[in-house]
């Protein structure tokens, strides 16, 4: 199981940004990965992942083996 901290470290090394947990959860949802809903989340996400970061998350998820390379 890959943790958010591992995803965050990969993003820091590869793309020089530190994503919020909300961005990671949104990207996981976008790519149809399992996500636990936060206990304090009501309705729509307050901080969705920026569109330009979604492709970077896809590459990170592929690198970490969460999704198959396309």
């Amino acid at each position: 199981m890959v943790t958010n901290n591992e995803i965050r470290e990969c993003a820091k090394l590869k793309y020089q940004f530190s994503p919020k947990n909300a961005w990671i959860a949104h990207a996981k949802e976008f790519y149809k990965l399992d996500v636990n809903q936060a206990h304090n989340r009501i309705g729509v996400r307050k901080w969705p992942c920026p569109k330009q970061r979604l492709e970077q998350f896809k590459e990170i998820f592929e690198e970490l083996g969460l999704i198959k390379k396309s």
Side-chain angles (χ1 to χ4, degrees):
M1 186 70 164
V2 177
T3 65
N4 282 2
N5 285 337
E6 291 171 320
I7 294 169
R8 187 174 292 105
E9 285 301 315
C10 191
K12 283 181 186 178
L13 292 172
K14 195 167 184 173
Y15 298 108
Q16 293 76 45
F17 79 97
S18 183
K20 297 179 180 190
N21 281 333
W23 290 5
I24 296 171
H26 182 226
K28 283 181 175 180
E29 253 180 16
F30 186 83
Y31 291 110
K32 310 284 191 269
L33 299 173
D34 289 335
V35 182
N36 293 330
Q37 184 168 341
H39 69 281
N40 59 347
R41 182 170 161 217
I42 300 170
V44 181
R45 291 190 180 280
K46 275 187 176 179
W47 298 287
C49 182
K51 290 181 182 180
Q52 70 270 18
R53 299 285 189 206
L54 285 174
E55 187 62 35
Q56 293 171 339
F57 274 117
K58 181 180 180 185
E59 292 176 17
I60 291 168
F61 294 160
E62 287 174 346
E63 186 175 315
L64 295 174
L66 294 173
I67 58 177
K68 293 181 181 179
K69 293 186 180 189
S70 50

